[in-house]
Every structure is written in C-alpha cells, then in structure tokens.
Amino acid sequence: MANEQESDIIKDQTQSQDSQHLDSPTPTNEPISSNKRIAKNTIFLYFRMLITMAVGLYTSRVVLNTLGVEDYGINNVVGGVVAMFSLISASISASIGRFITFELGTGNIEKLKRVFSTSVTIQIILAIVVIIVAEIVGIWFLNNKLEIAHDRMVAAHWVFHCSLIGFAVGLISLPYNACIVAHEKMNVFAYISIIEVVFKLLIVFLLLISPYDKLKTYAVLGVIVAIIIRLIYGWYCKLKFVECSYRPILDKKLFKQMFNFAGWQLFGCSADILRNQGISILLNIFTKTTIVNAAAGIAMSLNSIITAFVENFTAAFTPQITKLYAAKKYKELINIIYIGSKYAPFMMLLLAIPIYLNAEFILQIWLGQVPEHTINFARITILYTLNELISLPLIRTKNATGKIRNYQIVVGGILLLTLPIAYIALWLGAPIEFVFIAKVITSILAMLARLYMLRGDIPGLNSLHFLTNVYLRVIIVAIIASIIPFVCYKCIPNQTLQFFSTSIIAVICTSITIYYLGCNKTEQEQMKTQFHKLKLRILKK
C-alpha cells in the first residue's frame, strides 16, 4: 500500500501546474479521495482517543488507590523532572515529521531513506545526551531540591531511572511514529493503542498482586511496556515501509537543516510557554492569591477536553498539507487549508456552545466548589481556542515550507505581547479577566501574521478571500447558532433541565447553521451524497 501511494505521488509530480492560473481558493472539484482519507483517519484517531481516555481514567484511579497518595505523588513529581526534557523532544519530533512527510510527498525514496536513518541517528545521539545530563543534573535535583521522605528515596530513584529509560525509548521511536503518520496509517495507532491498553490493564492487575514495593514495580512495568510498544512500532514500520531500514548514517546537510528547523520550533514553543507562565505570574501578582491561578488552571483543563476531540481531525489532515506542498499541488493544498480552518472550529462549536452557556452548571457538577473567576476564564478561553483552531492549518502549512525563522520570530513576538498588554490593562484597573482577553487579542494578531507570511509561499492563497470565506463565516456560524440556545438558557430556570435542553438545541442549531451558512454548494452536495450512502447502508442491514 505504501509503495502504491509513493508511485502515485511520483506520477502526480510529473504533471506540471501553472500557479499563475489557479482557480478560486474554494475549487468546485475537491479531491474526494483525500477528504475520505481524512475522514477515515479522523474516525480511527477518535476511536484511539476514546479507548485511551477511558482506560486512563480507570487505571489512574486504581493506581492512586494502590500506591497511596504519597507514592503516587512521588511518581508524578519525579517523572515530571524527566518530562522537562519533552520541550526539546517535541521540537525534534516536529522537525522529523516534517522532513519525512515532505520527502514522501516529493517521491524521492532514496532521500526519504536518508532522512529516516539520519533521524534515528539524531535521536540515538539525543537520547545518550539526555541520559548523561539527566543522570548528573536530575539526580542532584532529586536528592537536594525535592521534598521526598527519606525512606522512599530509593524508590524515587527507581522511578527516575525507569522514567529516563522510557523517555529515551520514546525518543528513538519518534522517526517510526512519524513514518506511520506520514503514510496516514492512523488505524495502526488505533490497533497498537488497544495492545497498549491491554498491557496497562495488566500492569494494574500485577500491581495489585505484587508482593514487592508497589512504586518500584509500577516503574519497572511501565518501562517494559514502553519497550514492547516500541518494538511493535518498529516491526510494523520495517515490514510496511521501504524507508524504515535503519543504516547508521548521519547526513551533515540534513542534520543541519533538521536542527535549524527544530531550533526555531523550540523558539516558538518557548515563547508560548513563557506567555502562559507569565500569565500565571501576573495573576498571582495582581490578585495576591493562588486561588485565581487555580481558576485559570481549571479553565484550561476544561478547554483541553473540548480540543482533544478536535485535535484528532487536525492530526488527520496534517500529512496531506506537507505532501501537497512538497508536490507543489497548490490548488489542492489551499482546499485542505480551507477545509481544516473551517471544519475544525465547526466541530468544536458542537461542544463549545453548550459548555459556554452551561459553564457554571458543568463546573459545579465537576468540582463542587468553583473558585471565583473560573466561569469567565473558561468562557474566554473557549473563544481563544476557537481562533487558534482556525489558525492551525496555517501553522501546519508554514511548517511544511520549512521557512520558519522569520515566522517564529514574528509570531512568537506577537504572542509575548500578551504580557505587556495584560500588565498595562491590570495596572490601569481593568478586571482580572482582561489577562485572557489579551490572549484572545494576540491570538487574532498572530493569525493575521501567519496568513500574511504565507502569501509568498503558496501561489493562489488570497488573504482577503480566506478572511471573508473562512474566518468571517466561522464567526457568523458561531453567532447565529448561539441565538436560540441562549434564549432557551435564559428562559429555563432549572439548571439541570437548562443544561440538557440547551445542549440538544445547540447541537441541532449548530448543525443546521453549519450546513446552510458554513458550507458552500459543493460541500452541501457532498454531505447529501454521503448521507444518502449512509442511509442506504443502514436500510440494507
């Protein structure tokens, strides 16, 4: 299957495209097969997420009860010391994924093999460096800075070493996982996730019956599972993908390109982290209490639940963006950008509108006691995430170009403007919620900057057309879809009835509004066709 896909890409590349005569950014003939593949991969990713979330919630409760509060806390804080290195691994992962997917898009198999082998070599070197640094710095930090009971220090060391081994195994696995994503075999992630879930449940069982130290046992079993899953991914990739035969090479030119890309990715990630940490500090300084920080953390956690469902859709179309750019299929690429920028926020609205209206009820059920400002923080954060989802395909496309130095400097600088804007507003007496409003403002500015900086990279991408046919359309859909649910919310006094009625009405209103106002005629026809096919299948059964 992989070879067939590669040959198709090579064949498509031979067909020249005149970028000066591109049609409208919303073409009438959309690449149906690509859209079907995205839909199929999205379903697999949702399936994977639901399984891992369900088992994760169950196992975390059992592990907490089995280890006890103290040992569970040790496992989290010591594992967190190792997790600090994840910022570096995330940047390298993005670089590896981009270069592998790009070469798959160009159809240059020999170059693809060199990229893969160089990626594995880089990860092995990085894993060795991380282990050496962590064993020196991490052990010192563990022994001198963390507050851990003396009689549990040996167990804490076991957790640290096991976490470090697991992290190194994860680093070496990244090129293999990147190949699976690049080939869009999302079903493999779903199937292997089932295997991983079975192992996690087995860990819980063994932990319950183990006569040995529970914390040590849990740490060792976690490493064993990580190694087994790594071997499964490696076996599958070597079996299915021609490029996944590792040779101990290090292409210096590729090495420089990949680390240059990763370095600027790291700059962008650092700017985002600095902004979020700066917001926490500002909240603490101006309110002189950690309660508001708790409210901000709860708001972000609630929002993470919403975005988790949408991120599977965005993960499904990311490889398509890189491949289309590599093959210089700009018309199809613009189509994918439009689809992703519209339908990711549309999907979010199905959950966001009910949660936005019923934030107080949901938080009371979830927490019991809701800290002050939490409701307003949660609602503003939903608006922020809606805007970020519109920008996500633009971010993926800019990464596909590889030209990210100036982009990261400009966008990272705009994101950091959140702090001075929020500081000045709070100093002038603005309500504390303005910290999150400032985040929304800079998010909009960053989206405009991304769109402007993509113009020269993607022939045919019209900024004004994007703003009117995507951005404005999403805003209109969000406003129109909220009117009837908002009226019901105000008219129904009982909170429980209010929640269920507004949620159902919101989903119906949002779906209808998306169809009639959010979709163009071509998209409406495709929806009708797919609905008709689904109805026929149901009737046959």
Side-chain angles (χ1 to χ4, degrees):
M1 182 66 185
N3 292 332
E4 292 175 0
Q5 188 179 23
E6 289 157 4
S7 63
D8 288 342
I9 292 168
I10 295 169
K11 181 180 177 182
D12 289 337
Q13 263 201 292
T14 61
Q15 301 172 354
S16 62
Q17 296 183 25
D18 186 357
S19 61
Q20 301 299 321
H21 299 284
L22 292 172
D23 295 335
S24 169
T26 310
T28 54
N29 296 318
E30 297 183 337
I32 307 298
S33 58
S34 296
N35 294 349
K36 284 184 177 180
R37 192 183 304 118
I38 290 171
K40 182 180 177 182
N41 287 333
T42 303
I43 292 170
F44 279 119
L45 288 170
Y46 274 125
F47 177 65
R48 175 178 183 257
M49 183 196 67
L50 290 173
I51 290 176
T52 53
M53 280 182 63
V55 174
L57 289 171
Y58 170 72
T59 55
S60 61
R61 185 181 67 182
V62 176
V63 169
L64 173 61
N65 292 333
T66 307
L67 294 181
V69 175
E70 183 181 356
D71 278 3
Y72 189 82
I74 292 172
N75 182 70
N76 279 277
V77 73
V78 175
V81 174
V82 177
M84 288 191 296
F85 292 95
S86 63
L87 183 62
I88 299 172
S89 67
S91 302
I92 296 292
S93 175
S95 179
I96 290 172
R98 184 264 170 188
F99 278 85
I100 287 177
T101 309
F102 185 91
E103 295 306 331
L104 186 61
T106 63
N108 189 336
I109 303 303
E110 287 305 315
K111 181 73 175 292
L112 181 60
K113 290 179 179 179
R114 293 189 67 82
V115 169
F116 175 81
S117 293
T118 299
S119 299
V120 175
T121 303
I122 288 172
Q123 294 303 85
I124 291 172
I125 294 171
L126 185 61
I128 293 170
V129 171
V130 168
I131 287 173
I132 293 172
V133 173
E135 285 291 347
I136 297 172
V137 179
I139 291 295
W140 172 85
F141 188 79
L142 178 62
N143 291 332
N144 295 281
K145 296 298 179 181
L146 293 183
E147 295 293 333
I148 297 173
H150 181 73
D151 62 330
R152 299 307 295 152
M153 187 58 75
V154 173
H157 278 255
W158 275 70
V159 172
F160 180 82
H161 294 307
C162 289
S163 298
L164 194 55
I165 294 170
F167 182 79
V169 169
L171 280 178
I172 299 170
S173 297
L174 286 176
Y176 296 91
N177 293 357
C179 285
I180 294 174
V181 173
H183 285 275
E184 300 179 73
K185 300 293 183 181
M186 305 305 179
N187 58 322
V188 175
F189 280 122
Y191 299 147
I192 296 179
S193 290
I194 295 174
I195 298 172
E196 190 172 3
V197 159
V198 172
F199 279 123
K200 286 183 177 179
L201 291 173
L202 183 60
I203 286 177
V204 171
F205 174 73
L206 293 175
L207 195 62
L208 289 170
I209 64 173
S210 173
Y212 305 105
D213 186 293
K214 302 291 186 182
L215 185 54
K216 293 179 183 178
T217 303
Y218 184 64
V220 171
L221 290 175
V223 170
I224 293 172
V225 170
I227 293 171
I228 292 172
I229 296 301
R230 155 71 185 88
L231 293 173
I232 292 173
Y233 276 122
W235 168 79
Y236 176 84
C237 290
K238 288 179 181 178
L239 185 67
K240 294 293 184 180
F241 308 138
V242 67
E243 71 272 14
C244 293
S245 295
Y246 173 66
R247 295 173 293 165
I249 63 171
L250 184 64
D251 188 309
K252 291 183 180 179
K253 185 178 179 182
L254 272 174
F255 178 85
K256 183 178 179 181
Q257 290 174 343
M258 294 173 76
F259 260 91
N260 183 57
F261 185 94
W264 288 112
Q265 279 286 107
L266 180 62
F267 177 85
C269 292
S270 300
D272 191 49
I273 291 172
L274 182 60
R275 177 184 62 164
N276 291 333
Q277 293 303 315
I279 285 173
S280 297
I281 294 170
L282 281 179
L283 289 172
N284 189 265
I285 290 172
F286 278 92
T287 61
K288 302 185 185 303
T289 176
T290 57
I291 295 175
V292 177
N293 292 104
I298 292 165
M300 294 303 296
S301 297
L302 178 64
N303 200 64
S304 296
I305 297 171
I306 305 171
T307 54
F309 287 90
V310 185
E311 283 174 356
N312 291 292
F313 174 72
T314 60
F317 67 68
T318 298
Q320 282 286 318
I321 287 176
T322 307
K323 289 178 185 176
L324 290 171
Y325 177 80
K328 299 182 180 179
K329 298 180 180 178
Y330 298 123
K331 187 165 71 172
E332 290 90 337
L333 173 58
I334 293 171
N335 178 72
I336 293 292
I337 293 172
Y338 274 58
I339 288 174
S341 295
K342 280 202 304 185
Y343 289 103
F346 284 167
M347 291 172 68
M348 178 184 169
L349 285 175
L350 294 169
L351 288 172
I353 293 175
I355 292 176
Y356 186 95
L357 293 175
N358 298 285
E360 183 177 0
F361 176 76
I362 292 170
L363 289 168
Q364 284 176 347
I365 295 295
W366 181 23
L367 303 172
Q369 186 177 357
V370 182
E372 189 181 1
H373 301 290
T374 304
I375 297 168
N376 290 336
F377 286 174
R379 286 172 170 164
I380 299 170
T381 302
I382 287 172
L383 299 179
Y384 162 78
T385 305
L386 189 66
N387 189 80
E388 286 294 289
L389 286 174
I390 298 173
S391 292
L392 201 54
L394 302 177
I395 298 171
R396 300 288 187 262
T397 305
K398 191 61 184 178
N399 285 344
T401 68
K403 307 170 188 176
I404 63 169
R405 184 191 64 181
N406 294 340
Y407 164 79
Q408 291 290 6
I409 292 172
V410 171
V411 173
I414 290 173
L415 295 180
L416 288 176
L417 281 176
T418 304
L419 301 179
I421 291 172
Y423 181 87
I424 292 170
L426 294 178
W427 182 70
L428 292 173
I432 201 70
E433 282 81 3
F434 198 87
V435 171
F436 283 84
I437 294 173
K439 200 174 179 182
V440 174
I441 292 170
T442 53
S443 175
I444 294 171
L445 293 175
M447 187 275 296
L448 294 173
R450 291 173 184 127
L451 189 59
Y452 178 81
M453 298 184 78
L454 266 178
R455 292 188 312 163
D457 298 322
I458 313 298
L461 181 62
N462 186 302
S463 301
L464 183 61
H465 193 278
F466 179 90
L467 290 173
T468 54
N469 286 273
V470 175
Y471 196 77
L472 185 60
R473 189 169 291 202
V474 170
I475 293 173
I476 291 172
V477 168
I479 293 172
I480 299 298
S482 303
I483 293 174
I484 297 177
F486 178 76
V487 172
C488 293
Y489 172 79
K490 288 294 185 180
C491 293
I492 300 173
N494 182 276
Q495 276 196 321
T496 305
L497 182 61
Q498 189 181 65
F499 170 73
F500 286 105
S501 59
T502 54
S503 297
I504 294 169
I505 292 169
V507 170
I508 295 171
C509 289
T510 304
S511 301
I512 294 172
T513 310
I514 289 171
Y515 180 80
Y516 285 104
L517 297 180
C519 300
N520 57 38
K521 290 182 180 179
T522 303
E523 292 163 345
Q524 289 175 357
E525 288 300 321
Q526 287 183 10
M527 286 186 180
K528 287 179 183 178
T529 302
Q530 294 302 319
F531 179 77
H532 182 67
K533 288 180 180 179
L534 180 63
K535 186 170 71 173
L536 289 176
R537 287 179 185 176
I538 294 172
L539 291 174
K540 284 181 181 179
K541 292 180 181 179

